[in-house]
Every structure is written in structure tokens, then in C-alpha cells.
Amino acid sequence: MSVDALNELAAYITDRQLDAVVGTAVSAHGELTVEIEPGASLDFIEWLRSDPTCKFSTLIDITAVDWPQRDRRFDVVWHFLSMYQNHRIRVKAALREDDMLASITGIHPSAGWYEREVYDMFGILFTGHADLRRLL
């Protein structure tokens, strides 16, 4: 996908999800990253899946990054694929140590294992997760 097409997709997402989107970036490697407000994650991810222009129906991965020097110490990162549009997207939300995120297992059942891994490795809680217990 070209950089222009990714910028167009970023503008579309921002226009449709103005309250959720904090910012967007397209890397030199042709990767689109959308940063969102943590409280909007569930609705935003549902919208990404159901919007006919996006159709990000496949969850690839969930992980987190620890930035100990920041006030919002953690970035939770979701990777999605739209097989219909042949697009990939990275979604990030910055969290404080005591913040919680809504589980997306109701939208993407495969998120269960990934959320447990993020919980176990980083201590990030996912509200509404049916089985949030340690893996390691």
C-alpha cells in the first residue's frame, strides 16, 4: 500500500473517529499507526472491524511496551489485518500503571490469550476478560 493511500486511510479514520484518535503516523516502511484514547479502545476496535472502508476483521497480535520514564508508562499495541482491503494497521493506547482497558474478546475471541500475556508480562488489567490469569 502506498504512503499516499495510508495517509488517506489515516485521514478517513481520524475524521470518522475524532473523539477516539489522538494521532496518526505513517512510517518510512509503509506502516500506519493510530494512537487512541484508552477509554475509546473497545468502540474504536469494533468500528475498525465493521466499517466498510476499513474491515479490519483479523486480530494479528496484542502486545505492550514499557516506557518507565513516561507518566503514561505503557503503550498497549494491537495489530490488525483487513484481508478484504489488504491493509494492516497498528493501534496504540498509552496507559498509566493503574489504568485498565476493556477486553476485546467479545469482538475478537482470539484476543483472550494475548490479553492474558500482556497482563502477565506487564500487569495491565483488561476489564471484562473471562479468564485473566497468569500464563507464566
Side-chain angles (χ1 to χ4, degrees):
M1 182 172 216
S2 74
V3 172
D4 289 339
L6 289 171
N7 283 321
E8 190 176 306
L9 180 59
Y12 174 82
I13 290 169
T14 301
D15 288 345
R16 300 302 186 284
Q17 293 291 310
L18 199 53
D19 292 338
V21 175
V22 173
T24 62
V26 176
S27 75
H29 301 291
E31 299 170 340
L32 174 59
T33 301
V34 177
E35 187 172 349
I36 62 169
E37 290 291 342
S41 61
L42 190 61
D43 291 338
F44 181 78
I45 290 169
E46 172 63 38
W47 178 83
L48 277 180
R49 186 183 72 158
S50 62
D51 182 80
T53 300
C54 296
K55 290 187 175 180
F56 287 102
S57 60
T58 305
L59 173 67
I60 301 298
D61 186 30
I62 304 172
T63 191
V65 181
D66 186 1
W67 303 95
Q69 72 280 9
R70 289 190 339 197
D71 179 44
R72 288 185 169 195
R73 178 177 177 169
F74 299 107
D75 283 340
V76 174
V77 184
W78 299 266
H79 294 101
F80 296 99
L81 168 68
S82 172
M83 295 186 323
Y84 306 98
Q85 309 293 357
N86 195 26
H87 297 164
R88 291 180 182 268
I89 191 171
R90 174 183 301 115
V91 178
K92 292 184 353 180
L95 303 172
R96 291 180 178 83
E97 286 185 59
D98 57 348
D99 287 344
M100 293 184 276
L101 279 174
S103 174
I104 65 166
T105 54
I107 303 166
H108 294 281
S110 64
W113 183 265
Y114 298 126
E115 290 177 356
R116 285 180 62 188
E117 183 178 49
V118 169
Y119 164 68
D120 197 13
M121 301 293 287
F122 298 93
I124 297 168
L125 295 171
F126 291 89
T127 61
H129 192 286
D131 187 20
L132 197 60
R133 59 190 158 106
R134 297 183 65 91
L135 295 171
L136 302 176

